[in-house]
Amino acid sequence: MEAAPRTSNEKAGVTPLLTFSILSSFLKIHDKMKAAAMTLKKLAVDDPRRVRHSLKVGLTLTVISVFYYVKALYSGLGQSTMWAVLTVVVVTEYTAGATLYKGLNRVIATLLAGALGLGAHRLAALAGNDGKSVLLGVFVFLLAAMVTFSRFVPEIKARYDYGATIFILTFSLVSVSGYRVEELIGLAHHRLSTVAIGVAACMATSIAIFPVWAGEELHNLVASNLDTLASFLEGVGKEYFEQKLESHKNLEGASFLIGYKSVLNSKAMEDSLANFARWEPGHGQFGFRHPWKQYLKIGALARQCACSMQSLNGFISATEKSEALTNSEFQQNIKTACAVMCSESGKALAELASAIRDMRPPTAAAGHLGNAATVGSQVKMMGPSETTTVEEVLLYATMANLLLEIVHGAKHVADAVVQLANMAKFKHAEEAKSGVAKHNGDGESLHVVIDTKLLFNYLSFDHPLNQQGGVLHNTK
Amino acid sequence: MEAAPRTSNEKAGVTPLLTFSILSSFLKIHDKMKAAAMTLKKLAVDDPRRVRHSLKVGLTLTVISVFYYVKALYSGLGQSTMWAVLTVVVVTEYTAGATLYKGLNRVIATLLAGALGLGAHRLAALAGNDGKSVLLGVFVFLLAAMVTFSRFVPEIKARYDYGATIFILTFSLVSVSGYRVEELIGLAHHRLSTVAIGVAACMATSIAIFPVWAGEELHNLVASNLDTLASFLEGVGKEYFEQKLESHKNLEGASFLIGYKSVLNSKAMEDSLANFARWEPGHGQFGFRHPWKQYLKIGALARQCACSMQSLNGFISATEKSEALTNSEFQQNIKTACAVMCSESGKALAELASAIRDMRPPTAAAGHLGNAATVGSQVKMMGPSETTTVEEVLLYATMANLLLEIVHGAKHVADAVVQLANMAKFKHAEEAKSGVAKHNGDGESLHVVIDTKLLFNYLSFDHPLNQQGGVLHNTK
């Protein structure tokens, strides 16, 4: 919608002030609509599956509605339309897993509660006409309270929350409806079949037409989180630790520096995807019993690494603001070692991410982590040189130690990924396992030798401190 | 349920193996039921409001059902029962805010979509009997696809997700139902009033009878998270930094050491509570426009502190395993400083938590944080002594620096809490603001003097390194 009266407003007989205020509110509305359109466009471009999903929902609903509309015209009953439409609208979710979770919960809960409701009816009928409604009221109260309370149990909340709601709903509807039992059975049968058809339509659409699998989303999310961590490490290594103090660019706001934040916030998403993934049938390379829980373990370990990265990031900004730092030998040594640790653990995490994506064991990760650990253990032997300030020692020591913690964390992630490869029987899983156990042997050792050599070249390892067994002496 | 055949199984004529297997399966069932009962009991004891909520749901549902049951008996229509029961079951949530969110979304979406559906009917009728169902199908498709897509917009997802679902549902139901427009208006009116009564019943119950306010939950959650962080710091200060190396207890699994994990995982809960809190009317000390978003800010800053605590925790376990550590003077100095930083920042966080709980400005927090920062800046001047190993220097430097980062983080939390106190007009908010600005003046200065003195007694500040301007020299 274009803001039409933008030009030629002088010709109108209104005061300039009024013209201006009308103009500016038109422009404001125009800007807001433009912003909204941009938001929508971005949502569509970022993930075209969202558009497809919306069209799918529209299509399923239209087909079901029109089918029942035509049927209702002939049979004269509008009721079944309602249940079918209601089911489709309420059950359809973005991922196939969520749709299956809701659909199966709905059908099973409707079936169970319907049967129980009929039983309650028969039981209450024994109490005669007067006692019947009282007894039914008591049943509804007890069942609703009990099932509502059961929803506080975490396992039930995670798997059967929707089913619990539908269970209460159906039981109440059946037991309190004013119909006789004979009528009820026919009605229940009719309704259940309508609900089942609605659910089947949703499930078929969500599985057969451009399915979005919760399991695959989880798989990709975990892999891309590891990639995010890898690019943090690689970025910090190249842009910070490999630079001299004076040639530091201002890293504030660099995208690789803040990526860890999205990793820290991904727990809720991972949990819900893992919950839904359990309901999905085997698809593509994922079996029905694919170890989805293991992804949550990897995710938790990744967040632990991200935490250390957040701390490291804080210290990087601190060194950028500090004026007490010099280009001392000690600083250069630590930074060189840190650069190697960053690059090696970054490579390891990137390899883990790509191994998850390709569903193969992460063969090269252990070697990189071995290199990083070797360099890390060298850091413990480094001593400050003459020109170093205490603040500098503390700051760089902290960064090196945090990186070591990140390397340890990445090792845990690697172990969890190897475990995943074994559990999900990724190709060559056995070889990967043995590869981890002897990461200093065979093909892997090449890495270690080369990189340690590289490091020895960078660092002056004939430093007197190292020859004195790593004990610091001050000039007392 | 007791496992009855536990005794006297020898007398029976069955083989011992069969007896044993029956017995053991009975015992297993017994154990499982016992465990389930314990879980339920724990849920009830931990928060008795869960039981109350369940009873409330049962009661509301029974009252509405029986009311409509009786009405249906007289009018002969079972339909209204259904809508009222359905509304109550689907709308009632644990917190008042969530119930209001769903209830208002439901009523408004039903109203809007109903009107739009009638309009669509009239419009489609212009196309004649043949074109009508085609046009209606097209309308349903377009609207369902558009509204479904709009649910991907984060703001709509957060505030109007349920409304969007109900909007699609009602629009489809109205436009595809086989009724004529005249019938529809009466029906729509009837249904809307039933839904409105159901929603009103839920809202009244959730607000009037033992309400659980999402806002209050958020308020308490944020305060208790700060308490958790405070007890981490106080615990680490007392049980670790104040202890000599040889008298370290094994801290593994100590509850104060792992509390930060729950803080790290609280984001999803905080977000959802803040979303629901916005729908709640003023209650107790919370106004309708209470700044709920500020709690999210405090929560995010608290998680940042928790991240640093996770790193610190890693290094504490590392020192407990390391054999390279000695009881050097350097170590004792750093540990004493760390103990003061822990205790002061712990006190500050505890004060912040209690200030939030009491809804008063956090007057004492700034003083404690000032003390912690003063001691922290002394750490930068400390140098290693002769007996210190490099590993020891690096390890303790790292811990001290992480603690400094925690102190900085706590300062940000304190600022955010002061901001909250101003925004929500906690009592004496003006005084609190000026208190932060000049935390070294007036009543606060006492703290600083006392604690710095204490520290100077602990530490040997005549250490030669400190007299040499903090520059380290090694015996080159």
Side-chain angles (χ1 to χ4, degrees), chain A residues 69 176 304 307 310 380 382 384 390 394 397-398 401 470 473-474, chain B residues 69 176 265 304 307 310 380 382 384 390 394 397-398 401 470 473-474:
Chain A
Y69 177 68
V176 186
Q304 224 162 322
C307 251
Q310 174 154 304
K380 291 184 188 164
M382 289 178 201
V390 177
L394 298 185
T398 306
N401 258 336
H473 294 261
N474 56 46
Chain B
Y69 177 69
V176 186
N265 291 338
Q304 224 161 322
C307 252
Q310 174 154 301
K380 291 183 186 164
M382 288 176 199
V390 178
L394 298 184
T398 306
N401 259 336
H473 294 262
N474 54 47

PDB file of all heavy atoms in Angstrom, chain A residues 69 176 304 307 310 380 382 384 390 394 397-398 401 470 473-474, chain B residues 69 176 265 304 307 310 380 382 384 390 394 397-398 401 470 473-474:
ATOM      1  N   TYR A  69     -18.521 -30.653   4.004  1.00  0.00           N
ATOM      2  CA  TYR A  69     -19.539 -29.687   3.622  1.00  0.00           C
ATOM      3  C   TYR A  69     -20.499 -30.340   2.636  1.00  0.00           C
ATOM      4  O   TYR A  69     -21.715 -30.292   2.794  1.00  0.00           O
ATOM      5  CB  TYR A  69     -18.858 -28.471   2.990  1.00  0.00           C
ATOM      6  CG  TYR A  69     -19.792 -27.410   2.483  1.00  0.00           C
ATOM      7  CD1 TYR A  69     -20.555 -26.647   3.360  1.00  0.00           C
ATOM      8  CD2 TYR A  69     -19.883 -27.143   1.119  1.00  0.00           C
ATOM      9  CE1 TYR A  69     -21.393 -25.655   2.901  1.00  0.00           C
ATOM     10  CE2 TYR A  69     -20.721 -26.151   0.645  1.00  0.00           C
ATOM     11  CZ  TYR A  69     -21.486 -25.417   1.539  1.00  0.00           C
ATOM     12  OH  TYR A  69     -22.313 -24.444   1.074  1.00  0.00           O
ATOM     13  N   VAL A 176     -21.586 -36.283  30.822  1.00  0.00           N
ATOM     14  CA  VAL A 176     -22.557 -35.253  31.174  1.00  0.00           C
ATOM     15  C   VAL A 176     -23.561 -34.976  30.068  1.00  0.00           C
ATOM     16  O   VAL A 176     -24.521 -34.255  30.261  1.00  0.00           O
ATOM     17  CB  VAL A 176     -21.818 -33.971  31.621  1.00  0.00           C
ATOM     18  CG1 VAL A 176     -22.783 -32.941  32.130  1.00  0.00           C
ATOM     19  CG2 VAL A 176     -20.837 -34.309  32.714  1.00  0.00           C
ATOM     20  N   GLN A 304      27.928 -26.311  27.829  1.00  0.00           N
ATOM     21  CA  GLN A 304      29.001 -26.142  28.811  1.00  0.00           C
ATOM     22  C   GLN A 304      30.207 -25.456  28.164  1.00  0.00           C
ATOM     23  O   GLN A 304      30.794 -24.543  28.743  1.00  0.00           O
ATOM     24  CB  GLN A 304      29.390 -27.513  29.360  1.00  0.00           C
ATOM     25  CG  GLN A 304      29.576 -27.511  30.849  1.00  0.00           C
ATOM     26  CD  GLN A 304      29.526 -28.906  31.424  1.00  0.00           C
ATOM     27  OE1 GLN A 304      28.728 -29.742  30.968  1.00  0.00           O
ATOM     28  NE2 GLN A 304      30.352 -29.175  32.415  1.00  0.00           N
ATOM     29  N   CYS A 307      29.480 -21.820  27.663  1.00  0.00           N
ATOM     30  CA  CYS A 307      29.644 -21.066  28.905  1.00  0.00           C
ATOM     31  C   CYS A 307      31.091 -20.585  29.043  1.00  0.00           C
ATOM     32  O   CYS A 307      31.344 -19.418  29.338  1.00  0.00           O
ATOM     33  CB  CYS A 307      29.328 -21.967  30.091  1.00  0.00           C
ATOM     34  SG  CYS A 307      27.810 -21.571  30.907  1.00  0.00           S
ATOM     35  N   GLN A 310      31.766 -17.825  26.767  1.00  0.00           N
ATOM     36  CA  GLN A 310      31.257 -16.548  27.246  1.00  0.00           C
ATOM     37  C   GLN A 310      32.268 -15.901  28.194  1.00  0.00           C
ATOM     38  O   GLN A 310      32.545 -14.699  28.090  1.00  0.00           O
ATOM     39  CB  GLN A 310      29.918 -16.769  27.963  1.00  0.00           C
ATOM     40  CG  GLN A 310      29.384 -15.528  28.620  1.00  0.00           C
ATOM     41  CD  GLN A 310      27.865 -15.570  28.747  1.00  0.00           C
ATOM     42  OE1 GLN A 310      27.144 -15.734  27.767  1.00  0.00           O
ATOM     43  NE2 GLN A 310      27.374 -15.423  29.952  1.00  0.00           N
ATOM     44  N   LYS A 380      51.377 -24.845  30.746  1.00  0.00           N
ATOM     45  CA  LYS A 380      51.644 -24.912  32.181  1.00  0.00           C
ATOM     46  C   LYS A 380      53.127 -24.731  32.500  1.00  0.00           C
ATOM     47  O   LYS A 380      53.499 -24.460  33.636  1.00  0.00           O
ATOM     48  CB  LYS A 380      51.179 -26.264  32.734  1.00  0.00           C
ATOM     49  CG  LYS A 380      49.672 -26.392  32.734  1.00  0.00           C
ATOM     50  CD  LYS A 380      49.238 -27.692  33.363  1.00  0.00           C
ATOM     51  CE  LYS A 380      47.740 -27.883  33.181  1.00  0.00           C
ATOM     52  NZ  LYS A 380      47.343 -29.265  33.418  1.00  0.00           N
ATOM     53  N   MET A 382      55.101 -22.622  30.804  1.00  0.00           N
ATOM     54  CA  MET A 382      55.586 -21.293  30.407  1.00  0.00           C
ATOM     55  C   MET A 382      55.660 -20.357  31.603  1.00  0.00           C
ATOM     56  O   MET A 382      54.773 -20.322  32.434  1.00  0.00           O
ATOM     57  CB  MET A 382      54.623 -20.658  29.400  1.00  0.00           C
ATOM     58  CG  MET A 382      54.654 -21.307  28.051  1.00  0.00           C
ATOM     59  SD  MET A 382      53.452 -20.516  26.986  1.00  0.00           S
ATOM     60  CE  MET A 382      53.267 -21.809  25.786  1.00  0.00           C
ATOM     61  N   PRO A 384      56.497 -16.242  33.004  1.00  0.00           N
ATOM     62  CA  PRO A 384      56.507 -14.850  32.577  1.00  0.00           C
ATOM     63  C   PRO A 384      57.930 -14.346  32.348  1.00  0.00           C
ATOM     64  O   PRO A 384      58.863 -14.788  33.010  1.00  0.00           O
ATOM     65  CB  PRO A 384      55.859 -14.107  33.739  1.00  0.00           C
ATOM     66  CG  PRO A 384      55.447 -15.123  34.725  1.00  0.00           C
ATOM     67  CD  PRO A 384      56.068 -16.409  34.380  1.00  0.00           C
ATOM     68  N   VAL A 390      52.068  -8.058  36.278  1.00  0.00           N
ATOM     69  CA  VAL A 390      51.297  -9.111  36.945  1.00  0.00           C
ATOM     70  C   VAL A 390      49.914  -9.229  36.321  1.00  0.00           C
ATOM     71  O   VAL A 390      49.410 -10.321  36.090  1.00  0.00           O
ATOM     72  CB  VAL A 390      51.176  -8.815  38.454  1.00  0.00           C
ATOM     73  CG1 VAL A 390      50.318  -9.885  39.128  1.00  0.00           C
ATOM     74  CG2 VAL A 390      52.542  -8.779  39.081  1.00  0.00           C
ATOM     75  N   LEU A 394      48.159 -12.629  34.892  1.00  0.00           N
ATOM     76  CA  LEU A 394      46.870 -13.156  35.350  1.00  0.00           C
ATOM     77  C   LEU A 394      45.880 -13.274  34.193  1.00  0.00           C
ATOM     78  O   LEU A 394      45.189 -14.274  34.034  1.00  0.00           O
ATOM     79  CB  LEU A 394      46.285 -12.257  36.435  1.00  0.00           C
ATOM     80  CG  LEU A 394      47.101 -12.127  37.721  1.00  0.00           C
ATOM     81  CD1 LEU A 394      46.344 -11.304  38.739  1.00  0.00           C
ATOM     82  CD2 LEU A 394      47.425 -13.490  38.303  1.00  0.00           C
ATOM     83  N   ALA A 397      47.007 -15.944  31.632  1.00  0.00           N
ATOM     84  CA  ALA A 397      46.891 -17.255  32.266  1.00  0.00           C
ATOM     85  C   ALA A 397      45.437 -17.687  32.285  1.00  0.00           C
ATOM     86  O   ALA A 397      45.102 -18.841  31.994  1.00  0.00           O
ATOM     87  CB  ALA A 397      47.433 -17.189  33.688  1.00  0.00           C
ATOM     88  N   THR A 398      44.566 -16.741  32.602  1.00  0.00           N
ATOM     89  CA  THR A 398      43.146 -17.059  32.665  1.00  0.00           C
ATOM     90  C   THR A 398      42.619 -17.488  31.303  1.00  0.00           C
ATOM     91  O   THR A 398      41.910 -18.494  31.182  1.00  0.00           O
ATOM     92  CB  THR A 398      42.353 -15.838  33.146  1.00  0.00           C
ATOM     93  OG1 THR A 398      42.919 -15.409  34.381  1.00  0.00           O
ATOM     94  CG2 THR A 398      40.907 -16.176  33.339  1.00  0.00           C
ATOM     95  N   ASN A 401      43.831 -20.898  30.460  1.00  0.00           N
ATOM     96  CA  ASN A 401      43.150 -21.932  31.241  1.00  0.00           C
ATOM     97  C   ASN A 401      41.713 -22.137  30.778  1.00  0.00           C
ATOM     98  O   ASN A 401      41.211 -23.267  30.759  1.00  0.00           O
ATOM     99  CB  ASN A 401      43.164 -21.555  32.725  1.00  0.00           C
ATOM    100  CG  ASN A 401      44.224 -22.326  33.475  1.00  0.00           C
ATOM    101  OD1 ASN A 401      44.629 -23.404  33.039  1.00  0.00           O
ATOM    102  ND2 ASN A 401      44.672 -21.789  34.583  1.00  0.00           N
ATOM    103  N   GLY A 470      60.071 -25.413  35.543  1.00  0.00           N
ATOM    104  CA  GLY A 470      58.791 -24.692  35.590  1.00  0.00           C
ATOM    105  C   GLY A 470      58.530 -23.989  36.899  1.00  0.00           C
ATOM    106  O   GLY A 470      57.409 -23.625  37.209  1.00  0.00           O
ATOM    107  N   HIS A 473      60.789 -17.929  39.922  1.00  0.00           N
ATOM    108  CA  HIS A 473      61.573 -17.281  40.978  1.00  0.00           C
ATOM    109  C   HIS A 473      61.392 -15.795  40.818  1.00  0.00           C
ATOM    110  O   HIS A 473      61.440 -15.273  39.727  1.00  0.00           O
ATOM    111  CB  HIS A 473      63.048 -17.636  40.846  1.00  0.00           C
ATOM    112  CG  HIS A 473      63.306 -19.069  41.093  1.00  0.00           C
ATOM    113  ND1 HIS A 473      63.753 -19.547  42.293  1.00  0.00           N
ATOM    114  CD2 HIS A 473      63.135 -20.151  40.292  1.00  0.00           C
ATOM    115  CE1 HIS A 473      63.866 -20.876  42.226  1.00  0.00           C
ATOM    116  NE2 HIS A 473      63.501 -21.258  41.006  1.00  0.00           N
ATOM    117  N   ASN A 474      61.201 -15.108  41.877  1.00  0.00           N
ATOM    118  CA  ASN A 474      61.188 -13.670  41.744  1.00  0.00           C
ATOM    119  C   ASN A 474      62.432 -13.077  42.408  1.00  0.00           C
ATOM    120  O   ASN A 474      63.135 -13.750  43.149  1.00  0.00           O
ATOM    121  CB  ASN A 474      59.894 -13.079  42.286  1.00  0.00           C
ATOM    122  CG  ASN A 474      59.668 -13.489  43.704  1.00  0.00           C
ATOM    123  OD1 ASN A 474      60.574 -13.427  44.524  1.00  0.00           O
ATOM    124  ND2 ASN A 474      58.456 -13.962  43.994  1.00  0.00           N
TER     125      ASN A 474
ATOM    126  N   TYR B  69     -25.924 -29.654  32.114  1.00  0.00           N
ATOM    127  CA  TYR B  69     -26.602 -30.956  32.063  1.00  0.00           C
ATOM    128  C   TYR B  69     -28.061 -30.775  32.426  1.00  0.00           C
ATOM    129  O   TYR B  69     -28.967 -31.231  31.717  1.00  0.00           O
ATOM    130  CB  TYR B  69     -25.912 -31.908  33.039  1.00  0.00           C
ATOM    131  CG  TYR B  69     -26.533 -33.267  33.147  1.00  0.00           C
ATOM    132  CD1 TYR B  69     -26.457 -34.155  32.077  1.00  0.00           C
ATOM    133  CD2 TYR B  69     -27.160 -33.687  34.320  1.00  0.00           C
ATOM    134  CE1 TYR B  69     -27.007 -35.416  32.174  1.00  0.00           C
ATOM    135  CE2 TYR B  69     -27.704 -34.938  34.427  1.00  0.00           C
ATOM    136  CZ  TYR B  69     -27.629 -35.803  33.349  1.00  0.00           C
ATOM    137  OH  TYR B  69     -28.180 -37.063  33.455  1.00  0.00           O
ATOM    138  N   VAL B 176     -17.947 -23.077   6.570  1.00  0.00           N
ATOM    139  CA  VAL B 176     -18.198 -24.343   5.897  1.00  0.00           C
ATOM    140  C   VAL B 176     -19.443 -25.066   6.429  1.00  0.00           C
ATOM    141  O   VAL B 176     -19.876 -26.048   5.871  1.00  0.00           O
ATOM    142  CB  VAL B 176     -16.939 -25.233   5.976  1.00  0.00           C
ATOM    143  CG1 VAL B 176     -17.113 -26.486   5.173  1.00  0.00           C
ATOM    144  CG2 VAL B 176     -15.742 -24.477   5.453  1.00  0.00           C
ATOM    145  N   ASN B 265      19.309 -23.253  33.341  1.00  0.00           N
ATOM    146  CA  ASN B 265      18.203 -23.835  32.566  1.00  0.00           C
ATOM    147  C   ASN B 265      16.871 -23.117  32.755  1.00  0.00           C
ATOM    148  O   ASN B 265      15.840 -23.626  32.340  1.00  0.00           O
ATOM    149  CB  ASN B 265      18.035 -25.305  32.947  1.00  0.00           C
ATOM    150  CG  ASN B 265      19.206 -26.128  32.464  1.00  0.00           C
ATOM    151  OD1 ASN B 265      19.908 -25.722  31.539  1.00  0.00           O
ATOM    152  ND2 ASN B 265      19.429 -27.269  33.082  1.00  0.00           N
ATOM    153  N   GLN B 304      24.414 -15.240  33.066  1.00  0.00           N
ATOM    154  CA  GLN B 304      25.796 -14.937  32.707  1.00  0.00           C
ATOM    155  C   GLN B 304      26.733 -15.217  33.896  1.00  0.00           C
ATOM    156  O   GLN B 304      27.798 -15.797  33.736  1.00  0.00           O
ATOM    157  CB  GLN B 304      25.895 -13.475  32.293  1.00  0.00           C
ATOM    158  CG  GLN B 304      26.729 -13.269  31.056  1.00  0.00           C
ATOM    159  CD  GLN B 304      26.447 -11.916  30.410  1.00  0.00           C
ATOM    160  OE1 GLN B 304      25.309 -11.462  30.372  1.00  0.00           O
ATOM    161  NE2 GLN B 304      27.489 -11.289  29.906  1.00  0.00           N
ATOM    162  N   CYS B 307      27.186 -18.887  34.323  1.00  0.00           N
ATOM    163  CA  CYS B 307      28.166 -19.419  33.374  1.00  0.00           C
ATOM    164  C   CYS B 307      29.566 -19.350  33.965  1.00  0.00           C
ATOM    165  O   CYS B 307      30.315 -20.329  33.920  1.00  0.00           O
ATOM    166  CB  CYS B 307      28.140 -18.585  32.103  1.00  0.00           C
ATOM    167  SG  CYS B 307      27.412 -19.419  30.714  1.00  0.00           S
ATOM    168  N   GLN B 310      30.053 -21.881  36.534  1.00  0.00           N
ATOM    169  CA  GLN B 310      30.302 -23.218  35.986  1.00  0.00           C
ATOM    170  C   GLN B 310      31.793 -23.388  35.685  1.00  0.00           C
ATOM    171  O   GLN B 310      32.388 -24.421  36.009  1.00  0.00           O
ATOM    172  CB  GLN B 310      29.472 -23.414  34.722  1.00  0.00           C
ATOM    173  CG  GLN B 310      29.767 -24.702  34.006  1.00  0.00           C
ATOM    174  CD  GLN B 310      28.570 -25.174  33.185  1.00  0.00           C
ATOM    175  OE1 GLN B 310      27.488 -25.410  33.696  1.00  0.00           O
ATOM    176  NE2 GLN B 310      28.781 -25.313  31.898  1.00  0.00           N
ATOM    177  N   LYS B 380      45.369  -8.089  41.455  1.00  0.00           N
ATOM    178  CA  LYS B 380      46.236  -7.810  40.309  1.00  0.00           C
ATOM    179  C   LYS B 380      47.642  -7.424  40.725  1.00  0.00           C
ATOM    180  O   LYS B 380      48.565  -7.452  39.911  1.00  0.00           O
ATOM    181  CB  LYS B 380      45.622  -6.673  39.476  1.00  0.00           C
ATOM    182  CG  LYS B 380      44.343  -7.065  38.772  1.00  0.00           C
ATOM    183  CD  LYS B 380      43.823  -5.948  37.912  1.00  0.00           C
ATOM    184  CE  LYS B 380      42.452  -6.323  37.348  1.00  0.00           C
ATOM    185  NZ  LYS B 380      41.757  -5.159  36.830  1.00  0.00           N
ATOM    186  N   MET B 382      49.216  -8.872  43.316  1.00  0.00           N
ATOM    187  CA  MET B 382      49.893  -9.968  44.012  1.00  0.00           C
ATOM    188  C   MET B 382      50.829 -10.703  43.077  1.00  0.00           C
ATOM    189  O   MET B 382      50.501 -10.974  41.943  1.00  0.00           O
ATOM    190  CB  MET B 382      48.863 -10.977  44.523  1.00  0.00           C
ATOM    191  CG  MET B 382      48.055 -10.468  45.681  1.00  0.00           C
ATOM    192  SD  MET B 382      46.831 -11.699  46.095  1.00  0.00           S
ATOM    193  CE  MET B 382      45.698 -10.679  47.014  1.00  0.00           C
ATOM    194  N   PRO B 384      53.633 -14.116  42.565  1.00  0.00           N
ATOM    195  CA  PRO B 384      53.950 -15.442  43.071  1.00  0.00           C
ATOM    196  C   PRO B 384      55.201 -15.415  43.959  1.00  0.00           C
ATOM    197  O   PRO B 384      56.100 -14.614  43.737  1.00  0.00           O
ATOM    198  CB  PRO B 384      54.222 -16.263  41.817  1.00  0.00           C
ATOM    199  CG  PRO B 384      53.932 -15.389  40.662  1.00  0.00           C
ATOM    200  CD  PRO B 384      53.831 -13.994  41.123  1.00  0.00           C
ATOM    201  N   VAL B 390      54.455 -22.960  38.373  1.00  0.00           N
ATOM    202  CA  VAL B 390      53.754 -22.194  37.335  1.00  0.00           C
ATOM    203  C   VAL B 390      52.300 -22.642  37.240  1.00  0.00           C
ATOM    204  O   VAL B 390      51.388 -21.829  37.128  1.00  0.00           O
ATOM    205  CB  VAL B 390      54.460 -22.373  35.975  1.00  0.00           C
ATOM    206  CG1 VAL B 390      53.691 -21.621  34.904  1.00  0.00           C
ATOM    207  CG2 VAL B 390      55.870 -21.878  36.060  1.00  0.00           C
ATOM    208  N   LEU B 394      48.990 -20.215  37.410  1.00  0.00           N
ATOM    209  CA  LEU B 394      47.963 -20.154  36.362  1.00  0.00           C
ATOM    210  C   LEU B 394      46.589 -20.504  36.911  1.00  0.00           C
ATOM    211  O   LEU B 394      45.602 -19.837  36.641  1.00  0.00           O
ATOM    212  CB  LEU B 394      48.321 -21.102  35.212  1.00  0.00           C
ATOM    213  CG  LEU B 394      49.614 -20.807  34.459  1.00  0.00           C
ATOM    214  CD1 LEU B 394      49.775 -21.768  33.294  1.00  0.00           C
ATOM    215  CD2 LEU B 394      49.647 -19.378  33.959  1.00  0.00           C
ATOM    216  N   ALA B 397      45.372 -17.829  39.462  1.00  0.00           N
ATOM    217  CA  ALA B 397      45.099 -16.591  38.730  1.00  0.00           C
ATOM    218  C   ALA B 397      43.767 -16.698  38.008  1.00  0.00           C
ATOM    219  O   ALA B 397      42.958 -15.773  38.014  1.00  0.00           O
ATOM    220  CB  ALA B 397      46.215 -16.327  37.729  1.00  0.00           C
ATOM    221  N   THR B 398      43.555 -17.872  37.398  1.00  0.00           N
ATOM    222  CA  THR B 398      42.311 -18.068  36.671  1.00  0.00           C
ATOM    223  C   THR B 398      41.111 -17.979  37.590  1.00  0.00           C
ATOM    224  O   THR B 398      40.112 -17.320  37.279  1.00  0.00           O
ATOM    225  CB  THR B 398      42.334 -19.437  35.974  1.00  0.00           C
ATOM    226  OG1 THR B 398      43.501 -19.503  35.178  1.00  0.00           O
ATOM    227  CG2 THR B 398      41.112 -19.624  35.122  1.00  0.00           C
ATOM    228  N   ASN B 401      40.496 -14.439  38.586  1.00  0.00           N
ATOM    229  CA  ASN B 401      39.927 -13.660  37.485  1.00  0.00           C
ATOM    230  C   ASN B 401      38.477 -14.015  37.209  1.00  0.00           C
ATOM    231  O   ASN B 401      37.668 -13.146  36.901  1.00  0.00           O
ATOM    232  CB  ASN B 401      40.763 -13.868  36.222  1.00  0.00           C
ATOM    233  CG  ASN B 401      41.703 -12.709  35.990  1.00  0.00           C
ATOM    234  OD1 ASN B 401      41.445 -11.607  36.467  1.00  0.00           O
ATOM    235  ND2 ASN B 401      42.768 -12.945  35.265  1.00  0.00           N
ATOM    236  N   GLY B 470      54.412  -4.122  41.076  1.00  0.00           N
ATOM    237  CA  GLY B 470      53.680  -5.247  40.516  1.00  0.00           C
ATOM    238  C   GLY B 470      54.348  -5.872  39.299  1.00  0.00           C
ATOM    239  O   GLY B 470      53.726  -6.574  38.532  1.00  0.00           O
ATOM    240  N   HIS B 473      59.743 -10.423  38.202  1.00  0.00           N
ATOM    241  CA  HIS B 473      61.089 -10.661  37.654  1.00  0.00           C
ATOM    242  C   HIS B 473      61.416 -12.118  37.834  1.00  0.00           C
ATOM    243  O   HIS B 473      61.128 -12.700  38.863  1.00  0.00           O
ATOM    244  CB  HIS B 473      62.118  -9.824  38.420  1.00  0.00           C
ATOM    245  CG  HIS B 473      61.934  -8.362  38.205  1.00  0.00           C
ATOM    246  ND1 HIS B 473      62.664  -7.640  37.298  1.00  0.00           N
ATOM    247  CD2 HIS B 473      61.077  -7.489  38.775  1.00  0.00           C
ATOM    248  CE1 HIS B 473      62.265  -6.378  37.324  1.00  0.00           C
ATOM    249  NE2 HIS B 473      61.306  -6.263  38.219  1.00  0.00           N
ATOM    250  N   ASN B 474      62.010 -12.714  36.864  1.00  0.00           N
ATOM    251  CA  ASN B 474      62.444 -14.074  37.086  1.00  0.00           C
ATOM    252  C   ASN B 474      63.980 -14.114  37.085  1.00  0.00           C
ATOM    253  O   ASN B 474      64.649 -13.168  36.688  1.00  0.00           O
ATOM    254  CB  ASN B 474      61.841 -15.031  36.070  1.00  0.00           C
ATOM    255  CG  ASN B 474      62.116 -14.588  34.662  1.00  0.00           C
ATOM    256  OD1 ASN B 474      63.260 -14.251  34.339  1.00  0.00           O
ATOM    257  ND2 ASN B 474      61.085 -14.572  33.835  1.00  0.00           N
TER     258      ASN B 474
END
